[in-house]
Amino acid sequence: MTIRVLLADDQRLVRAGFRGLLDAADDIEVVAEAADGAQAVVMARELRPDVVLMDIRMPGMDGLEATRLVTAMGTRVVVLTTFDLDEYVFEALRAGAGGFLTKDVEPEDLRQAVRVVAGGEALLAPRITARLITEFVRRDARRRADPERLARLTEREREVMAQVARGLSNEEIARELYMSPATARTHVSRAMIKLDARDRAQLVVIAYETGLV
């Protein structure tokens, strides 16, 4: 099944470069390009792509606001930026992004990121570490979520959620906690439902906000 992608970046050459990299994959198709956040929102509403590759810094409506609006439609977003600052990482995840990559990402890593996020997984670039997110949450303590939210989860669901926050896939969680991938997937799904998280990336945010990790 072909993954339909919308590119959103204010630089035409950047869009052309990413289009070339993505169209080279048999299972990915770039269906449209947007030059700013507002245009990206309109195109996402009309075309319903599987994934939007969203630049953060764009004129008018920026990528973070556009991400909030696009993810509210149920479309997954991978945020792309030149800047790997911790504020951008966390705000992108808070806005609903399923992935965060810097623009110097390797071609195959970019294509794999699209596949991972399209499949419902959360993804962070290797150099975007948990330490950065933890530090931002510490400084942003006034907006932290209530740790009591985790009381809705079983002990096993909390264990699985902690592994999700580490960036592990269902298969990796299964190996780490000695369970089947199907069981890991079930625990992740139940945690998302109980915490009203739209996807795994939102579980990562909640895990850090509540101090689970």
Side-chain angles (χ1 to χ4, degrees):
M1 185 174 176
T2 301
I3 300 171
R4 302 170 68 253
V5 176
L6 167 64
L7 294 176
D9 194 292
D10 61 327
Q11 298 183 50
R12 183 178 299 177
L13 287 178
V14 172
R15 297 198 305 271
F18 282 129
R19 174 183 281 274
L21 294 176
L22 294 174
D23 280 344
D26 294 335
D27 59 338
I28 300 174
E29 175 191 6
V30 177
V31 295
E33 299 178 16
D36 57 47
Q39 191 176 25
V41 172
V42 171
M43 288 184 169
R45 185 176 295 114
E46 292 177 350
L47 301 174
R48 296 292 178 177
D50 300 303
V51 176
V52 177
L53 286 185
M54 185 84 73
D55 186 25
I56 283 184
R57 294 195 173 187
M58 292 185 288
M61 182 186 294
D62 66 18
L64 291 175
E65 179 60 24
T67 293
R68 292 186 185 95
L69 296 173
V70 169
T71 56
M73 304 175 197
T75 299
R76 303 187 184 281
V77 173
V78 176
V79 169
L80 286 160
T81 183
T82 307
F83 310 95
D84 59 348
L85 301 178
D86 48 345
E87 287 88 352
Y88 287 129
V89 177
F90 196 74
E91 286 303 322
L93 292 173
R94 192 195 295 276
F100 186 102
L101 296 173
T102 49
K103 289 185 178 179
D104 58 357
V105 61
E106 293 296 323
E108 185 51 40
D109 290 338
L110 173 66
R111 291 187 283 264
Q112 185 59 24
V114 169
R115 297 182 184 111
V116 168
V117 173
E121 301 280 345
L123 178 142
L124 294 176
R127 77 197 218 194
I128 309 300
T129 64
R131 180 188 61 79
L132 293 176
I133 300 178
T134 303
E135 175 63 16
F136 183 69
V137 173
R138 183 188 66 78
R139 290 188 283 110
D140 197 34
R142 289 172 302 174
R143 296 170 62 184
R144 294 186 67 172
D146 183 359
E148 292 302 316
R149 291 181 67 185
L150 298 181
R152 308 171 192 173
L153 305 182
T154 65
E155 181 178 352
R156 199 56 160 168
E157 288 166 351
R158 286 194 293 271
E159 290 176 345
V160 169
M161 183 173 166
Q163 302 307 315
V164 170
R166 291 177 54 203
L168 272 60
S169 67
N170 290 334
E171 289 72 20
E172 292 169 331
I173 293 173
R175 289 194 296 270
E176 186 80 11
L177 298 181
Y178 303 101
M179 62 178 65
S180 71
T183 299
R185 187 178 304 108
T186 297
H187 286 310
V188 171
S189 297
R190 287 175 178 170
M192 288 171 56
I193 292 171
K194 291 180 179 180
L195 297 176
D196 195 26
R198 69 170 64 91
D199 55 27
R200 294 172 73 99
Q202 291 292 297
L203 282 185
V204 174
V205 172
I206 295 171
Y208 281 99
E209 284 185 324
T210 57
L212 179 65
V213 292

